[in-house]
Amino acid sequence: MSQFLKKNSSTEQRAKNVNDAIAAALKELNAAEDDVTIEIIDEGSKGFLGIGAREAVVRATLKNAAAKQPESEKTPDAVPAAKPAKKTSAAAPEDAAVKFLNDIFGAMHLDVTVDAKSEEKEVSIELSGDNMGIVIGKRGDTLDSLQYLTSLVVNQDSDEYIKVSIDTENYREKRTEALLALSKRLADKVTRTGKKFTLEPMNPYERRVIHSNLQDSETVTTYSIGSEPYRKVVIAPKNAKPYYKKNSGYKKRSDKQHNTSVAEKSGSYTTTYKADYKPQQHKAEYKNFEDYLAAQQAKSEQ
């Protein structure tokens, strides 16, 4: 194998990174790096958590046969060898995204078509195929996870942040419309009952849809509670009136309030004593309120 490669003065090697692949190629050709032209076919990728990882691939070619001859045997008019080729640039963001997703769906044994387009600093990806419900997941959880992982892959070698969005069967738009209708319906319920309502955990984008839709409401307000990924939106009545809480006890009446009550008694017997008259307590002594009032007046005149 080694003799065949030397005869053709070229070899292609794979390794976990570019440097190891070049070292393997130089060893195979028994040549120094200055004696060969290096072409980077694929810089490889570490992937994320082992997903989407691939080996680096390089091709090394001897510049000329004279490069391996002793100095005494080289002809003086030999043509100088060309300089080594420059390394190829990293894969385009959309190509990296497509490659990663194809690897994922291949591992899942799903037949999914991945279409990607790039505009400035954003990569938009559309997925299509059968059984896309599996790709979407419950409330879009799987689709959101794929979008997050793809964003990590696309941005790992990028100097500037590139936004990645993944959609299938127009799910994103349908989900937004459902959230708008849900928030409106719950806002009406909170306004009607005066009780706050806590929604299920949502991602930041979906929470913003709720907040934005109700930010101008005159009857409800919204806020978020909890920690990611279980952060929730709360819809609460705006300017809610305080209410008496059962078993919380009453405030003790102050001396000022007591004195005011006494003054009211002296000013209007009928009004004050009518409030104090309790038929269930006084029925054994008095037949009616008039008898009770006459007795109280008599006591005050003594």
Side-chain angles (χ1 to χ4, degrees):
M1 178 69 177
S2 177
Q3 292 178 352
F4 176 79
L5 291 171
K6 288 182 180 180
K7 179 179 180 181
N8 289 276
S9 303
S10 178
T11 183
E12 184 176 302
Q13 296 291 330
R14 296 173 176 267
K16 63 181 181 179
N17 56 52
V18 171
N19 290 336
D20 289 352
I22 292 176
L26 295 176
K27 181 178 180 180
E28 186 70 25
L29 293 176
N30 191 25
E33 188 170 356
D34 292 339
D35 297 334
V36 299
T37 299
I38 302 295
E39 179 185 358
I40 310 297
I41 298 175
D42 189 340
E43 292 188 347
S45 173
K46 295 180 180 180
F48 180 77
L49 300 179
I51 300 175
R54 62 180 187 275
E55 292 182 315
V57 182
V58 303
R59 181 181 293 113
T61 305
L62 291 173
K63 295 176 181 178
N64 52 41
K68 294 181 62 65
Q69 294 178 353
E71 289 292 332
S72 58
E73 298 180 7
K74 292 182 180 180
T75 56
D77 55 349
V79 178
K83 294 183 179 180
K86 294 182 179 180
K87 292 183 179 181
T88 58
S89 58
E94 62 271 25
D95 294 338
V98 171
K99 175 70 167 60
F100 171 72
L101 289 171
N102 282 335
D103 290 343
I104 291 290
F105 295 135
M108 296 172 66
H109 304 290
L110 293 177
D111 186 12
V112 179
T113 300
V114 182
D115 294 319
K117 61 180 181 180
S118 178
E119 295 181 2
E120 295 183 355
K121 298 178 183 178
E122 181 174 358
V123 175
S124 300
I125 302 170
E126 182 69 25
L127 307 178
S128 58
D130 298 330
N131 300 320
M132 296 309 293
I134 298 176
V135 176
I136 295 173
K138 184 179 180 180
R139 300 188 185 93
D141 289 347
T142 304
L143 194 65
D144 289 339
S145 298
L146 288 172
Q147 181 172 287
Y148 173 72
L149 293 174
T150 305
S151 178
L152 293 179
V153 171
V154 168
N155 284 283
Q156 66 180 350
D157 296 322
S158 176
D159 296 330
E160 297 180 319
Y161 179 76
I162 300 173
K163 180 181 178 181
V164 175
S165 60
I166 300 180
D167 197 6
T168 180
E169 298 181 348
N170 206 27
Y171 172 79
R172 300 293 187 190
E173 183 177 347
K174 293 177 182 177
R175 177 63 172 167
T176 298
E177 291 176 353
L179 289 174
L180 292 174
L182 175 66
S183 62
K184 177 63 170 60
R185 186 168 65 253
L186 292 178
D188 292 341
K189 180 179 180 181
V190 170
T191 300
R192 185 175 65 258
T193 63
K195 297 180 180 180
K196 65 182 180 181
F197 189 93
T198 303
L199 285 80
E200 64 188 15
M202 297 179 180
N203 61 43
Y205 170 77
E206 293 184 343
R207 295 199 303 270
R208 284 195 295 271
V209 171
I210 303 292
H211 292 312
S212 177
N213 191 41
L214 299 179
Q215 64 181 355
D216 297 326
S217 173
E218 297 180 355
T219 58
V220 300
T221 184
T222 63
Y223 55 90
S224 296
I225 59 173
S227 303
E228 299 290 2
Y230 306 106
R231 197 159 173 78
K232 308 173 183 178
V233 173
V234 177
I235 303 176
K238 186 179 290 185
N239 302 322
K241 295 181 179 180
Y243 63 94
Y244 174 74
K245 187 176 180 180
K246 187 177 181 181
N247 299 327
S248 63
Y250 293 95
K251 291 183 178 179
K252 187 176 180 180
R253 186 161 56 181
S254 65
D255 292 339
K256 183 177 180 181
Q257 292 174 323
H258 179 71
N259 292 336
T260 302
S261 178
V262 173
E264 289 176 352
K265 284 186 179 182
S266 62
S268 174
Y269 290 106
T270 302
T271 302
T272 303
Y273 286 119
K274 192 168 186 178
D276 292 339
Y277 177 66
K278 298 177 175 55
Q280 295 298 326
Q281 296 180 14
H282 299 111
K283 66 181 180 179
E285 299 180 61
Y286 311 104
K287 295 181 179 180
N288 51 43
F289 172 68
E290 285 72 18
D291 291 347
Y292 173 77
L293 178 60
Q296 298 303 320
Q297 289 176 337
K299 290 180 180 180
S300 65
E301 291 173 356
Q302 292 178 356

